[in-house]
Amino acid sequence: MKTHILFGFLTAVLLVIVISNRHEEVFSYDTVVEMASDMAREGYLTAVPALPKELRELNYDQTRDIRWKEEFTLWRKDGLPFQARFFHPGGLHDRPVEIFEVTGNQVEPLRYTPEFFDFGKNPLKETMPSSLGYAGFRIHHPLNRPDVMDEAFVFLGASYFRAVSKGLHYGISARGLAINTDVKGKTEEFPVFSKFWLKKPESFSSSMIVYALMESRSVVGAYEFEIWPGPETHMIVRATLFFTGRPESVGFAPLTSMFWFGENTGDTFGDFRPEVH
């Protein structure tokens, strides 16, 4: 009799575990789509945290002088084929974004601390708040040599991102969305990726997944990027957009580049470089 009671109890416990696991939320693209849908319906946009004045006033060279410390690279200690480093906000990149790590069913915010950065000649380290956040991120992968973690793709600034193939350098950039570009009498609207979720790769992964939430006055969107770096780097992008306004012009999957001068022009405007994009 006691054996039957014990067996029945164990069976009930196992059923509870199975049922609870079935109802446990798994973070996915659909999660971001639902989040974007709710935000569009409620007319809600994320408040932009104000940067300290000393960060807003940094020029180009001062911003570049702030460098990530390699020993704090995400997934480096795990020896994974994809590893993440982060950009410090400042100068042109004045909107911090929220970045999360997705491991199985666990979603954890990636915390900011000044300890992760070398500020170079900038006297900033003692004044940075722990709630600051990051401007964006870059993913490293053994693109050209198995023993070197090359920068393979970057998400930084508004909805800009770019990737590179083996043996090449960065060229044109992509944007998540373009709104009212070159529309007479209209100011161009720049949607931003305000949140990112980096899905932790497996030990032998050949691709990596990034989720993103896009926000703008006219649209809220959910994005999924699955990226395969290699001799030909492939990126599959899924997007679901919820328009809250009626823009006159929308550019889906836009590419962008800026040319200033090159060896085919007659003036370098005092710059020491032979060509600048």
Side-chain angles (χ1 to χ4, degrees):
M1 185 66 177
K2 290 182 179 179
T3 302
H4 288 298
I5 292 173
L6 179 61
F7 180 77
F9 175 74
L10 291 175
T11 302
V13 170
L14 288 172
L15 282 171
V16 169
I17 293 173
V18 169
I19 292 170
S20 64
N21 282 341
R22 284 180 179 175
H23 287 86
E24 186 176 1
E25 284 194 15
V26 177
F27 191 92
S28 68
Y29 174 63
D30 291 336
T31 310
V32 189
V33 172
E34 185 176 353
M35 189 182 303
S37 175
D38 290 343
M39 292 176 66
R41 186 171 57 251
E42 297 169 6
Y44 170 79
L45 293 179
T46 303
V48 182
L51 283 185
K53 181 180 178 182
E54 56 267 40
L55 284 178
R56 296 196 308 268
E57 294 178 348
L58 291 178
N59 61 33
Y60 177 79
D61 291 323
Q62 289 172 324
T63 304
R64 285 179 57 85
D65 206 24
I66 305 176
R67 292 181 172 84
W68 177 263
K69 295 179 181 177
E70 288 190 20
E71 61 266 31
F72 296 113
T73 297
L74 183 65
W75 305 321
R76 182 184 183 190
K77 292 181 180 178
D78 299 319
L80 297 185
F82 294 89
Q83 298 175 13
R85 301 175 188 174
F86 303 90
F87 292 98
H88 200 285
L92 292 175
H93 303 297
D94 58 357
R95 175 167 180 153
V97 298
E98 296 179 67
I99 306 178
F100 303 83
E101 178 187 15
V102 180
T103 307
N105 293 338
Q106 300 297 316
V107 179
E108 297 289 341
L110 292 170
R111 67 184 183 90
Y112 164 88
T113 172
E115 301 284 332
F116 292 164
F117 292 91
D118 179 348
F119 288 88
K121 297 178 182 178
N122 297 305
L124 297 171
K125 186 172 182 179
E126 301 301 324
T127 62
M128 294 300 102
S130 59
S131 60
L132 189 61
Y134 299 107
F137 66 94
R138 53 186 178 170
I139 300 296
H140 291 249
H141 180 75
L143 197 58
N144 296 290
R145 288 172 41 184
D147 59 332
V148 177
M149 298 297 288
D150 298 301
E151 186 180 295
F153 57 93
V154 174
F155 286 79
L156 178 64
S159 70
Y160 286 86
F161 61 97
R162 59 184 184 172
V164 69
S165 298
K166 180 179 180 179
L168 298 180
H169 297 284
Y170 283 124
I172 201 165
S173 294
R175 293 163 65 178
L177 201 67
I179 297 180
N180 289 339
T181 302
D182 197 27
V183 175
K184 187 175 181 179
K186 293 282 186 179
T187 300
E188 182 174 358
E189 190 174 324
F190 285 91
V192 300
F193 289 134
S194 59
K195 294 181 177 65
F196 292 98
W197 293 265
L198 312 183
K199 188 171 182 179
K200 186 175 182 179
E202 302 292 337
S203 297
F204 300 100
S205 296
S206 58
S207 67
M208 183 179 163
I209 292 177
V210 174
Y211 304 109
L213 179 73
M214 172 185 283
E215 300 183 45
S216 188
R217 294 193 310 275
S218 300
V219 64
V220 183
Y223 281 72
E224 178 190 72
F225 304 87
E226 187 164 9
I227 307 143
W228 287 265
E232 292 182 354
T233 292
H234 296 271
M235 182 182 294
I236 294 180
V237 183
R238 284 203 294 171
T240 302
L241 303 173
F242 299 92
F243 282 90
T244 57
R246 295 180 64 87
E248 291 189 29
S249 172
V250 179
F252 299 98
L255 300 175
T256 184
S257 185
M258 292 170 286
F259 176 79
W260 187 15
F261 63 82
E263 295 174 26
N264 61 326
T265 60
D267 194 350
T268 63
F269 305 95
D271 198 294
F272 67 92
R273 293 166 292 189
E275 49 194 23
V276 174
H277 292 258

